[in-house]
Amino acid sequence: MAENEKLGQAAGQVPDTSKTPEKPAKADKAKKDKADKKSKPGFFARIGKWFKEMKSELKKVQWPTTKQTVNNTIIVIVCCIVVGICIWLFDWLAQAIISALLDLFKG
């Protein structure tokens, strides 16, 4: 860009300073901050808006039928029982092995 300005000055043209960004004054920034605070809705208005949006989103949810819910519940209960039995078997086996090793080295 500096080369373009030098070429323009050499040709007798005036440099274009409109492209340089100007920093806003502190007073302008303070006014902008106050305007932003005024446009921000109040606490209870934001809570009300949140509940309205939540209600509209919950209407979009595809809820499972009673049959699907019962089926899924039965699957979860059966899986818990199977995992419980596996843990019980492992615990019983580990206890039996440890008892056998203790009896072997004790005697």
Side-chain angles (χ1 to χ4, degrees):
M1 182 165 162
E3 292 176 5
N4 291 339
E5 289 177 359
K6 288 179 184 177
L7 292 175
Q9 288 175 354
Q13 296 175 351
V14 178
D16 184 17
T17 58
S18 64
K19 293 182 181 177
T20 57
E22 295 182 15
K23 294 182 180 178
K26 288 184 179 181
D28 293 338
K29 189 175 182 181
K31 288 179 185 177
K32 186 177 179 182
D33 289 341
K34 287 181 183 178
D36 289 341
K37 288 181 182 177
K38 289 180 183 177
S39 66
K40 186 176 179 181
F43 178 73
F44 292 107
R46 287 184 284 158
I47 290 175
K49 181 181 176 185
W50 183 80
F51 276 111
K52 287 178 186 176
E53 291 175 359
M54 181 183 64
K55 185 177 177 182
S56 68
E57 287 295 323
L58 286 176
K59 287 181 180 179
K60 297 176 188 177
V61 173
Q62 183 178 0
W63 297 101
T65 63
T66 305
K67 185 177 179 180
Q68 289 173 329
T69 305
V70 170
N71 189 28
N72 291 342
T73 303
I74 291 171
I75 290 171
V76 168
I77 291 171
V78 168
C79 288
C80 288
I81 290 171
V82 169
V83 169
I85 290 170
C86 290
I87 292 172
W88 175 74
L89 284 173
F90 178 77
D91 183 49
W92 177 78
L93 184 64
Q95 182 182 5
I97 291 172
I98 291 173
S99 294
L101 288 174
L102 289 175
D103 288 342
L104 181 68
F105 291 114
K106 193 177 190 181

